Amino acid sequence: MKIKNLILLGAAIFLAACSDKEDMGNPNEDNGNNSPVLVGLNIKDAKYIYGSENNTRSSSTQYRQIKKDGTDMQLGWITEKGDTVEVKDITNIWDINEKYLLVNTDYPIKLEEDPQPNEDGVIIFTQVFAPSGVSYLIDKQTESIFELKGKMNINGHTMDAYLGLDGEKVIADNTGNIYMPLYYNEKFNRIWEQYNVKPTLFKIHTQDPTNLKIENYAEINSDKYLYDDMKYDWFVVNNQGTCFYDMRYIRPSSGTRQYTVGQFIKGSTFGAGFVSPDKNDLYLTAIGGQEYDSYLTITKLSDNGNSLQGEEVIKMPTDFYDPNYKICTLWNQFKNSIIISAGGFYEFNMNDYSITKIEADLWGFFQKNSYTTTTASFIQNSVDKLTIVSLRDYSSRTVDLANEGIDLRYIYTMEGSEFLHFFGFRYTDSQSVIGTIDENGNVAISETLPVSTITTIVQIK
């Protein structure tokens, strides 16, 4: 389905982007047909976007940005007239790749009427469903906005819907297509249950940036995806667009044919997928064989565009494995290996296809509060304590950031970086700070912000 492109007004965007005015208007002050048409977001040359709590009685978040030259200015929507107006009602912001930012809101940014939930707590806009909010792709160079709509299976019927997608779980293939699932949190839980909304993966075709297209790509059936505390990838995509999803299914790069793990690893119902470091190859791993004669097996898939072929590259005997446990994988970039959690912990060497059992307890690697860089995995235990596990030898240490006078408020990683990135609160001067932590626990501060109530921060690639 085509995605509505909200902007074709390059001149207006250029003029608005040159303005640093702070006296921004309200984008919906008329709240009707007279409200401005929003066509862009003034994010060109932004280094960080951060949100801070409003000091008034309103619980809304104010968003600002730090430009690459150090300028601190307000984040604003750009109207078709070239004005810049206040950003309001954003729920999430993600920097998903070099080209696009993803912005989520609870309802469309161009309001036709004041949205009110019905008796079931669901907001419906002109009969278009919004079970996970609304997402917008923002082109970081042109500052253009693209509203995402697609087809969804709702109560067994295919319906048009606004798509609120999860920018934290984004994958791209080598032609620029973007894969993202619906965004889920507890706020949407009752809506999903009532309307039988399934976690869904969407593919956004971006070859024509003025005419994006979106495809309902895959659905999963397991509710455990929503409630499990383990961190695992429910979908994996390689550069060619071959997709493994729902712990059991594989979809080739073209067509809609569906394969199962068991067709490639006999005796298996569930497994995990991972890609090679260059993202060209897709591998499956699962426990095959009989209950007391089981093997951890790794199979490499080949996709010719019409069918999939599997080649077993290695298998090793395993201890008794409870099939209710999920198999999880994690790339160890330092050693060019894949760590596999399947009852025990195993390491698959990508250089020579060897596999060994790891005796160290690596359970923390697969918890949702863990963050992995190129050299270590960081497990957050509290607002000021981290366990750091080296990817060199799997030794661990605990770091207490209270010694630095810092509480961690948000942690994130950057692709290819050896550092854990964070923003936090520094008690010595009551400032919010942005910084990094290395594998030895050393803290470095890169930015200091003159506010203490930051709620979120996004670092722009």
Side-chain angles (χ1 to χ4, degrees):
M1 176 180 179
K2 293 184 179 180
I3 301 174
K4 183 181 179 183
N5 182 350
L6 296 183
I7 51 86
L8 290 174
L9 301 175
I13 290 177
F14 175 79
L15 291 173
C18 295
S19 173
D20 289 351
K21 292 190 298 182
E22 294 283 320
D23 54 338
M24 297 185 181
N26 185 333
N28 298 301
E29 56 189 344
D30 295 321
N31 202 28
N33 292 329
N34 293 325
S35 60
V37 176
L38 304 179
V39 300
L41 187 68
N42 66 339
I43 60 168
K44 188 176 291 185
D45 296 325
K47 183 178 180 181
Y48 296 100
I49 293 174
Y50 67 93
S52 61
E53 293 177 355
N54 196 328
N55 292 325
T56 67
R57 293 181 180 179
S58 171
S59 60
S60 63
T61 299
Q62 294 181 331
Y63 287 91
R64 299 186 65 83
Q65 57 184 313
I66 300 175
K67 298 292 190 181
K68 291 178 180 178
D69 63 3
T71 302
D72 186 320
M73 62 179 289
Q74 193 166 346
L75 187 69
W77 297 117
I78 301 169
T79 74
E80 61 181 346
K81 296 179 180 180
D83 299 324
T84 305
V85 297
E86 181 182 359
V87 164
K88 299 184 67 176
D89 303 315
I90 287 178
T91 55
N92 295 96
I93 302 177
W94 293 281
D95 187 40
I96 61 173
N97 59 26
E98 296 289 341
K99 184 173 178 59
Y100 291 111
L101 199 75
L102 187 76
V103 171
N104 278 18
T105 63
D106 279 336
Y107 43 81
I109 56 177
K110 171 64 171 69
L111 302 182
E112 299 300 337
E113 57 184 18
D114 188 19
Q116 297 293 330
N118 63 17
E119 60 184 8
D120 297 319
V122 179
I123 297 175
I124 299 178
F125 312 95
T126 60
Q127 304 305 310
V128 180
F129 201 68
S132 292
V134 187
S135 282
Y136 299 90
L137 277 181
I138 313 294
D139 187 307
K140 291 189 286 189
Q141 292 301 313
T142 67
E143 301 183 320
S144 309
I145 302 176
F146 302 92
E147 180 184 76
L148 302 186
K149 289 182 181 178
K151 299 289 187 181
M152 284 185 58
N153 187 335
I154 299 170
N155 267 341
H157 302 284
T158 300
M159 299 174 58
D160 291 323
Y162 285 102
L163 302 181
L165 303 182
D166 191 343
E168 190 173 350
K169 300 180 177 69
V170 61
I171 296 177
D173 62 27
N174 59 4
T175 59
N177 298 315
I178 300 171
Y179 303 78
M180 280 187 288
L182 283 176
Y183 180 73
Y184 172 86
N185 63 17
E186 292 182 0
K187 178 175 64 175
F188 299 118
N189 181 40
R190 189 164 65 89
I191 296 174
W192 282 37
E193 287 184 346
Q194 182 172 358
Y195 291 90
N196 195 27
V197 177
K198 296 184 181 300
T200 305
L201 177 66
F202 290 89
K203 178 179 180 180
I204 303 173
H205 300 259
T206 64
Q207 287 73 26
D208 181 355
T210 65
N211 185 25
L212 302 182
K213 297 181 180 179
I214 193 162
E215 179 182 358
N216 184 323
Y217 203 67
E219 294 179 355
I220 75 170
N221 297 309
S222 174
D223 288 339
K224 293 180 180 179
Y225 161 73
L226 304 176
Y227 307 107
D228 203 309
D229 288 332
M230 294 179 67
K231 182 171 68 175
Y232 68 97
D233 297 321
W234 77 261
F235 71 96
V236 179
V237 182
N238 70 358
N239 270 340
Q240 285 69 48
T242 308
C243 178
F244 170 82
Y245 65 98
D246 199 10
M247 301 179 289
R248 67 186 101 178
Y249 299 122
I250 306 100
R251 178 171 171 175
S253 57
S254 62
T256 58
R257 184 176 177 182
Q258 181 175 272
Y259 296 78
T260 64
V261 170
Q263 292 176 255
F264 303 103
I265 303 177
K266 299 301 182 184
S268 302
T269 303
F270 300 100
F274 60 89
V275 295
S276 57
D278 60 9
K279 300 183 181 180
N280 285 328
D281 298 317
L282 177 64
Y283 296 82
L284 303 179
T285 181
I287 302 294
Q290 304 299 316
E291 183 176 357
Y292 292 100
D293 184 25
S294 59
Y295 293 84
L296 176 66
T297 304
I298 296 175
T299 295
K300 180 180 178 181
L301 298 184
S302 299
D303 181 354
N304 63 11
N306 297 313
S307 64
L308 288 178
Q309 304 294 323
E311 175 191 0
E312 181 182 293
V313 297
I314 197 168
K315 67 179 181 180
M316 70 176 297
T318 65
D319 301 329
F320 174 75
Y321 174 71
D322 185 340
N324 292 317
Y325 292 155
K326 291 184 175 69
I327 296 178
C328 302
T329 64
L330 177 72
W331 182 36
N332 182 339
Q333 183 170 335
F334 184 81
K335 300 175 71 173
N336 194 31
S337 64
I338 300 293
I339 301 170
I340 303 170
S341 172
F345 300 101
Y346 305 87
E347 186 167 40
F348 174 60
N349 190 304
M350 298 294 294
N351 296 318
D352 60 10
Y353 284 178
S354 63
I355 190 168
T356 57
K357 187 171 183 180
I358 303 172
E359 297 303 328
D361 182 4
L362 303 183
W363 179 250
F365 279 16
F366 302 98
Q367 296 176 6
K368 287 190 175 179
N369 62 339
S370 65
Y371 306 82
T372 301
T373 69
T374 60
T375 58
S377 189
F378 297 75
I379 298 96
Q380 186 174 10
N381 303 314
S382 66
V383 295
D384 53 16
K385 288 185 174 62
L386 292 169
T387 296
I388 305 176
V389 183
S390 172
L391 293 177
R392 304 167 191 267
D393 56 10
Y394 304 125
S395 60
S396 64
R397 68 177 70 199
T398 299
V399 175
D400 188 349
L401 292 181
N403 298 329
E404 304 284 341
I406 295 174
D407 273 359
L408 297 174
R409 302 296 170 87
Y410 182 71
I411 295 175
Y412 60 102
T413 58
M414 298 288 287
E415 185 175 0
S417 174
E418 64 183 282
F419 300 106
L420 180 72
H421 297 257
F422 73 91
F423 85 81
F425 180 76
R426 187 168 58 195
Y427 289 102
T428 54
D429 55 4
S430 298
Q431 297 286 294
S432 291
V433 293
I434 303 172
T436 59
I437 305 172
D438 68 16
E439 62 177 307
N440 297 312
N442 299 313
V443 178
I445 304 300
S446 57
E447 304 277 351
T448 300
L449 302 178
V451 290
S452 61
T453 54
I454 289 182
T455 58
T456 185
I457 194 161
V458 180
Q459 185 168 344
I460 309 299
K461 298 181 181 72

